[in-house]
Amino acid sequence: HRTCELLQAVSEEEKIYRVTSAPMTGHQPRDFVILVSQRRPCRPQEPYTVAVRSVTLRAVPPSPEFCRSEILCGGFQIHSNSSSSCTVCYFNQVTSGVMPYLAANLTGSSKSIEDTALECIKFLE
């Protein structure tokens, strides 16, 4: 079971969330405290960018129920191809503790990348 809780709206374009993820076999459930920045393009040829990175928030210390994990740099860019289509590029730099989740995606035993894509589509709509 995954949750995503808004902790703080830093500005209209930047918000801090706490995200939890379901446990993988043999691993404790993980949580992340992340800053999400949304940037609209300044010019039509530039992409819409959503950037994510982990932050430390004193009000949300690590919980014994979760393994606090870190996203060094991540997000996606939406490039407009035409008035009816776009290309979405997803990028993620993580610590070694998150590798079991990425490996599960690559072997097909997890749907989190697919779920992320569906959430991106909902966000854009």
Side-chain angles (χ1 to χ4, degrees):
H1 167 208
R2 258 191 269 179
T3 63
C4 181
E5 172 190 4
L6 174 63
L7 298 175
Q8 183 178 340
V10 179
S11 69
E12 191 175 312
E13 294 181 324
E14 297 186 335
K15 295 177 176 61
I16 298 176
Y17 295 90
R18 177 174 180 255
V19 178
T20 63
S21 64
M24 297 289 294
T25 305
H27 295 275
Q28 189 177 12
R30 297 186 182 277
D31 74 339
F32 304 82
V33 177
I34 56 172
L35 173 66
V36 178
S37 299
Q38 302 173 35
R39 298 289 187 265
R40 297 187 183 279
C42 294
R43 294 181 294 230
Q45 67 273 22
E46 292 179 349
Y48 185 99
T49 302
V50 178
V52 179
R53 69 170 287 129
S54 286
V55 293
T56 302
L57 197 59
R58 241 183 242 149
V60 188
S63 160
E65 299 172 40
F66 294 91
C67 175
R68 177 65 47 93
S69 297
E70 183 177 16
I71 297 172
L72 302 175
C73 179
F76 57 94
Q77 290 187 323
I78 302 110
H79 299 264
S80 177
N81 298 329
S82 68
S83 61
S84 61
S85 73
C86 65
T87 301
V88 178
C89 299
Y90 177 73
F91 57 94
N92 203 349
Q93 179 185 9
V94 296
T95 58
S96 60
V98 182
M99 288 310 292
Y101 291 87
L102 295 180
N105 277 312
L106 296 175
T107 61
S109 59
S110 171
K111 287 180 49 177
S112 66
I113 287 179
E114 180 182 344
D115 292 343
T116 300
L118 291 173
E119 288 303 315
C120 288
I121 291 167
K122 283 184 201 171
F123 172 78
L124 294 171
E125 291 173 343

